[in-house]
Amino acid sequence: MGGAFLAAAVLARLGGRIGLPTIPLFILAGILLGPHTPGYTLLSNPHDLEMLSALGLVLLLFYLGLEFHMDDLKTGGRKMAIAGGTYLALNVGAGLIFGFALGWGTSEALVLAGVLGISSSAIVTKILVDLGRIGNPETRPILGIIVVEDIFLALYLAALQPILSGADSLSAALIDGGKAFGFLLLLALAARFGTKLIGKLMNTKDDELLVISFLGAAVFVAGVSEMFGVADAIGAFMVGLMLGSTSSGDRILKLVHPLRDAFGAIFFFAFGLSIDPGDLPSVLWPVVAAVVLTLAMNIAAGLAAAKVYSFGAQATSNIATTLVARGEFALILATMAAAAGLDERLSPFIAGYVLLLAVLAPLAAGRSHWLARILPGGRKKDDHQDQDQVPVSV
């Protein structure tokens, strides 16, 4: 664990000198020191960091929930649903068509629809934090799209699992989907009506007790979420959503920063450990084609979301480039596909696709003004979104 932290820190420091984002460097550290790369192996079994990696994802999404206040849901729920639904329709639909075009099989196409269709909540959160865009106007629809994706994710996994396992798909999907939806509804009601009670239970002047309390709540609800077929990440997000609206919200936001940064780095490092570079050449061209398709669909989705929110070219570009990243959900699907005995090309394809977008997404988001110049209205000097290029402190 100490070696993982140090390796990630050294590479990130070196990359920072030439302007590279930290996310792909954390992943690269995992690849170089993992069991699939010649030379020194820090960890021969990637599962050794599984719990720490899961904690990193939980903290990243918990932080995201703290930033996404209930007022945002109350005032922008309809727009959020439209933007998120449009994003899913474009990306999941394109992924399904791409999957059938490859000709690897129907189950494989369903897996690829999810892989190409869902953004990485962890990477998107890290990009927003690193670029200082948490307070930007377009960040609300970005977070809203992630929320819609996470809800879809829970239902999609519940429906896909029985299909891949060959069980009674209709009945199993209905039961599992009902459990997941019921638990999500319970969390939503708690976030909507239980904030005052939760705030009283959480309130304390002692920082030590506050850290233990919010950390325990986030991890506990994340674990219970998994039991009901809901992604642990969305459980943590909902806890953050509840606590962010309490009187302790600002203190929690400050106290969770070092925990989020440390274990978030382990999450990306552990992701790198799972990648075998030797498998990538066999699926190079499908990966490239999928990346190009994803970039195109994200630009289209960014234009659609910007139209819903009446944003300018710069905000449109920020939405399109920030949501490009794919990550943890794709890895979950890769694991499910391997367990179900699907086409062996799926795992290296997903690894290559996710790695390439994990590198491209932070770079593209940091240079989103290049895309803004060629979008409708991008040449206007009075575009009110141009101010986005000035970083704000978080």
Side-chain angles (χ1 to χ4, degrees), residues 95-114 156 160 163-164 342-343 346:
L96 186 62
I97 293 171
F98 178 81
F100 281 119
L102 284 180
W104 292 354
T106 301
S107 295
E108 286 79 0
L110 292 172
V111 170
L112 288 172
Y156 188 76
L160 188 61
I163 295 174
L164 295 184
L342 300 187
D343 196 301
L346 268 179

Side-chain angles (χ1 to χ4, degrees), residues 266-296:
I266 292 296
F267 170 79
F268 297 111
F269 181 88
F271 172 40
L273 290 175
S274 67
I275 296 176
D276 185 351
D279 292 337
L280 302 182
S282 63
V283 291
L284 176 61
W285 292 115
V287 166
V288 172
V291 167
V292 171
L293 178 63
T294 300
L295 293 174

Side-chain angles (χ1 to χ4, degrees), residues 5 9 17 25 30 35 72 83 91 114 120 133 141 218 222 256 274 289 299 320-321 324-325 352-353 391:
F5 277 124
R17 294 180 180 274
L25 294 170
D72 298 329
N91 285 272
S120 167
R133 291 180 180 170
V256 79
S274 67
I299 293 174
T321 53
V324 160
Y353 171 74

Side-chain angles (χ1 to χ4, degrees), residues 101-186:
L102 284 180
W104 292 354
T106 301
S107 295
E108 286 79 0
L110 292 172
V111 170
L112 288 172
V115 170
L116 271 66
I118 307 294
S119 304
S120 167
S121 301
I123 297 179
V124 169
T125 304
K126 190 69 165 58
I127 290 173
L128 292 173
V129 172
D130 285 352
L131 296 180
R133 291 180 180 170
I134 289 292
N136 285 15
E138 72 276 4
T139 297
R140 290 187 178 182
I142 289 174
L143 300 184
I145 289 171
I146 288 177
V147 171
V148 174
E149 283 185 318
D150 283 342
I151 294 172
F152 172 81
L153 180 157
L155 300 176
Y156 188 76
L157 282 179
L160 188 61
Q161 180 62 53
I163 295 174
L164 295 184
S165 64
D168 185 355
S169 58
L170 180 59
S171 60
L174 289 175
I175 294 173
D176 292 344
K179 287 168 56 181
F181 182 78
F183 185 71
L184 285 171
L185 182 61
L186 180 64

Side-chain angles (χ1 to χ4, degrees), residues 207-300:
D207 284 349
E208 179 185 11
L209 294 179
L210 184 58
V211 169
I212 297 300
S213 299
F214 75 68
L215 185 61
V219 176
F220 179 77
V221 174
V224 174
S225 297
E226 282 195 324
M227 294 172 60
F228 284 90
V230 177
D232 54 359
I234 193 172
F237 174 87
M238 295 301 292
V239 174
L241 191 66
M242 298 175 204
L243 298 184
S245 300
T246 67
S247 58
S248 303
D250 291 339
R251 287 174 61 208
I252 294 173
L253 194 65
K254 181 179 179 180
L255 292 169
V256 79
H257 268 213
L259 294 170
R260 178 209 67 193
D261 292 340
F263 290 100
I266 292 296
F267 170 79
F268 297 111
F269 181 88
F271 172 40
L273 290 175
S274 67
I275 296 176
D276 185 351
D279 292 337
L280 302 182
S282 63
V283 291
L284 176 61
W285 292 115
V287 166
V288 172
V291 167
V292 171
L293 178 63
T294 300
L295 293 174
M297 288 300 101
N298 271 263
I299 293 174

